[in-house]
Amino acid sequence: MTVFAVEYVYVAESDALRDEARPAHRAWLGDLAEEGKLLASGPYGDGAGALLIFKSADEAELNDLLKQDPFAEAGVIAGIRTTEWAPNTGVLAAYAS
């Protein structure tokens, strides 16, 4: 398994849509965390996006998973940056391949 850092950039002026989709988005994230696929996630302080840390077999599998995010379905994500990441220190280091 590989660790990936995923950065979301939200559509400007999408606060109301995000508020509406947030309960389903958080439930989806909670399920992924229980399955061990999501290691950490949270919004940036300025509200313009979020950082999510996933464990996945490969980037194609991860991209398929990200399409299922209720935020993606609601159209509130303007951009996604996915980067393979190899944590070597701290609590997430145990998940690096």
Side-chain angles (χ1 to χ4, degrees):
M1 291 294 215
T2 303
V3 176
F4 292 92
V6 176
E7 293 181 86
Y8 281 176
V9 176
Y10 297 137
V11 172
E13 308 299 324
S14 66
D15 293 357
L17 285 173
R18 279 186 279 129
D19 288 346
E20 185 177 316
R22 186 169 287 113
H25 169 72
R26 287 195 174 157
W28 178 76
L29 292 173
D31 289 345
L32 293 175
E34 285 182 21
E35 294 170 19
K37 295 178 182 179
L38 178 68
L39 303 179
S41 70
Y44 292 133
D46 63 3
L51 176 65
L52 305 96
I53 307 296
F54 286 94
K55 185 172 60 170
S56 181
D58 55 41
E59 193 167 355
E61 179 182 272
L62 176 62
N63 288 334
D64 288 342
L65 185 66
L66 294 174
K67 291 175 187 173
Q68 299 171 29
D69 187 341
F71 271 10
E73 294 172 357
V76 301
I77 302 171
I80 298 175
R81 179 177 181 226
T82 302
T83 307
E84 188 173 327
W85 183 49
N88 57 28
T89 304
V91 297
L92 297 181
Y95 298 100
S97 52

